[in-house]
Amino acid sequence: MSQTVFEKSIRSRPVYGVLQPRAGTAHLCVADGEGAGAIRDLFAKVGAGAPAMLARTHIIYVPSSANGTDEFASLEALGAAQCHRSPSFWAAEPRLRKVLADAHMGLQVYLAGTETLIGLAQRDVMEAGLPHDAVQTEHRGSLARRVQCVHCKGVTENVRTDPFTCSHCGLNLFVRDHYSRRLAAFQGVCIDAEEPGNVPPPVERFK
């Protein structure tokens, strides 16, 4: 799958690139679903130097919660020093935080997959104090969003339609492109606050 192309939007909306190999004392790759393809492409670019880089690489992988894609076997076959599969990001997060806590200067971080995975992992990386330029991101796979209701503060995962119903308070929410890096979530605002019940039909915008 090729790199996802996003329409031009507001400044807070995350921008993603293409993973490129960088010199480092260690390498941490975190991916979900189709993000495995970006990790494979990353090591393909290294060529003959891939075994040496893989010997210092820790891979954490989560199958897609949106469509069930599981490409762990292809990552395991790369031969990294450590390659771990978790059923969800929340199950993988303690391992991720431990790797970050034990990291030394020179760690390079590669995040690939859905915006939810990238956002949550990037939040942990930033909280661990790693410099911004030590982190690369590449979007692959589902566009489903993690959205926080600005009214009740509840977060709904894997939102595909706009508007949608908040899973916590039941309000009809318009999904904004405004993104909170602290929450790793887009923002949802009540769409019928002034005219209750006047809600346009939901459109699948985030497949």
Side-chain angles (χ1 to χ4, degrees), residues 12-113:
S12 73
R13 207 239 185 277
V15 176
Y16 308 101
V18 177
L19 301 184
Q20 299 293 339
R22 288 180 178 171
T25 57
H27 305 273
L28 172 61
C29 301
V30 185
D32 70 346
E34 288 89 336
I39 303 302
R40 293 194 301 270
D41 290 348
L42 170 69
F43 287 101
K45 295 171 186 174
V46 183
M53 182 176 174
L54 284 161
R56 302 190 304 275
T57 296
H58 191 141
I59 298 175
I60 300 174
Y61 179 74
V62 179
S64 171
S65 61
N67 58 25
T69 298
D70 187 347
E71 300 182 13
F72 177 71
S74 68
L75 295 180
E76 193 172 35
L78 291 174
Q82 294 191 63
C83 191
H84 178 79
R85 178 189 183 278
S86 287
S88 68
F89 176 80
W90 308 113
E93 191 172 36
R95 172 179 286 263
L96 171 59
R97 288 181 172 175
K98 180 66 166 60
V99 174
L100 293 171
D102 294 343
H104 298 286
M105 185 176 293
L107 173 69
Q108 294 295 316
V109 180
Y110 309 86
L111 309 177

Side-chain angles (χ1 to χ4, degrees), residues 102-159:
D102 294 343
H104 298 286
M105 185 176 293
L107 173 69
Q108 294 295 316
V109 180
Y110 309 86
L111 309 177
T114 62
E115 292 194 272
T116 294
L117 178 283
I118 292 173
L120 291 171
Q122 193 165 35
R123 180 178 66 180
D124 286 342
V125 172
M126 295 299 105
E127 288 179 354
L130 270 72
H132 184 73
D133 59 4
V135 183
Q136 295 184 60
T137 62
E138 180 173 343
H139 183 275
R140 298 273 185 115
S142 173
L143 296 175
R145 293 185 173 187
R146 170 180 162 88
V147 182
Q148 185 207 44
C149 172
V150 302
H151 308 282
C152 76
K153 308 306 179 185
V155 173
T156 302
E157 306 284 354
N158 291 324
V159 173

